Amino acid sequence: DTGVSQNPRHKITKRGQNVTFRCDPISEHNRLYWYRQTLGQGPEFLTYFQNEAQLEKSRLLSDRFSAERPKGSFSTLEIQRTEQGDSAMYLCASSLWDTRGEQYFGPGTRLTVT
Amino acid sequence: GQQVMQIPQYQHVQEGEDFTTYCNSSTTLSNIQWYKQRPGGHPVFLIQLVKSGEVKKQKRLTFQFGEAKKNSSLHITATQTTDVGTYFCAGGLYNFNKFYFGSGTKLNVKP
């Protein structure tokens, strides 16, 4: 399967713990996005990478959130000192550097903070 | 705050009826994308519009991008039960670097 994959699919953690999610985009895609989605809402932009460079970061992203894409392939999203408000589905999407701009989404990681 | 507003939030139609969802942005967009998300699934790309006033069709689906590149619509003719899902618009800024999704329109089609 050459789609976008995310791990883990589900994560339950206690408030105050750190969590890290991984996204493996489609291999030839050089654009990678992270979004957060809560029930009944659309995906909320968190950050964007072009290859290994993080070019955009939402102002909504507090200092507790950090993302990396070290070799321009897979990406990780880390949340430090998790809060209950961080509970959501975290979606990764990738796309090609062309005019179509089609984003391919992964299945997401559902985070529950207790 | 949210920069792309989408209405209606819900739409219930009888199979065979038409359906339209609307998106409005507070700022001029570089492009707009439309996605469909089935219950329990992830967003799936439908189309992208880039040009002012652009209209694109995919079978029973018609997509429009406003002249000012601040609004867009998706119209489905003669809905089918397979059209059930939530439709999202995503307004692009700075040429694909950042996208603002609307809150979505959840479509339910009664057979």
Side-chain angles (χ1 to χ4, degrees):
Chain A
D1 181 78
T2 57
V4 178
S5 62
Q6 292 186 246
N7 289 288
R9 295 291 306 276
H10 303 275
K11 179 71 177 177
I12 300 173
T13 191
K14 292 184 178 179
R15 188 175 53 188
Q17 298 294 305
N18 300 343
V19 293
T20 300
F21 309 141
R22 177 178 169 125
C23 170
D24 286 89
I26 295 172
S27 58
E28 63 269 26
H29 286 186
N30 57 354
R31 291 177 174 156
L32 188 145
Y33 305 82
W34 282 100
Y35 294 91
R36 176 173 66 188
Q37 187 175 28
T38 54
L39 195 63
Q41 297 298 314
E44 179 183 27
F45 174 85
L46 293 178
T47 192
Y48 160 70
F49 289 88
Q50 186 171 309
N51 298 313
E52 67 275 8
Q54 187 175 22
L55 299 184
E56 285 287 341
K57 187 175 178 181
S58 170
R59 285 175 292 174
L60 298 171
L61 221 61
S62 72
D63 291 341
R64 297 185 296 107
F65 288 72
S66 62
E68 293 183 342
R69 195 182 182 196
K71 297 181 180 179
S73 55
F74 74 91
S75 175
T76 57
L77 177 68
E78 181 182 16
I79 308 174
Q80 296 182 328
R81 305 182 302 283
T82 52
E83 301 172 357
Q84 286 190 318
D86 297 330
S87 296
M89 178 71 84
Y90 290 82
L91 294 165
C92 173
S94 69
S95 72
L96 266 175
W97 175 255
D98 65 13
T99 55
R100 288 196 311 164
E102 175 177 355
Q103 296 181 63
Y104 292 82
F105 280 82
T109 294
R110 180 168 296 282
L111 172 66
T112 302
V113 182
T114 63
Chain B
Q2 188 173 355
Q3 296 194 12
V4 176
M5 304 299 294
Q6 192 173 351
I7 56 170
Q9 189 174 3
Y10 300 98
Q11 187 79 55
H12 301 272
V13 300
Q14 199 73 36
E15 188 173 24
E17 292 181 339
D18 292 356
F19 159 78
T20 305
T21 174
Y22 302 90
C23 261
N24 284 289
S25 170
S26 55
T27 58
T28 302
L29 302 169
S30 59
N31 59 311
I32 195 156
Q33 298 178 346
W34 284 91
Y35 290 82
K36 178 183 179 180
Q37 187 172 23
R38 293 182 185 276
H42 54 271
V44 175
F45 178 84
L46 295 176
I47 208 159
Q48 174 169 272
L49 305 171
V50 180
K51 299 177 183 176
S52 169
E54 190 170 12
V55 178
K56 286 189 177 180
K57 292 189 176 184
Q58 287 180 349
K59 297 182 181 178
R60 295 178 295 106
L61 278 61
T62 302
F63 304 85
Q64 288 187 299
F65 200 11
E67 294 289 342
K69 300 183 76 172
K70 285 188 172 184
N71 58 74
S72 182
S73 65
L74 158 60
H75 180 81
I76 302 178
T77 304
T79 54
Q80 300 174 358
T81 55
T82 53
D83 295 326
V84 165
T86 301
Y87 292 84
F88 293 101
C89 61
L93 297 178
Y94 318 125
N95 294 321
F96 312 110
N97 284 15
K98 197 170 192 176
F99 285 90
Y100 287 101
F101 277 74
S103 54
T105 297
K106 188 173 183 178
L107 173 63
N108 186 39
V109 180
K110 291 176 284 186

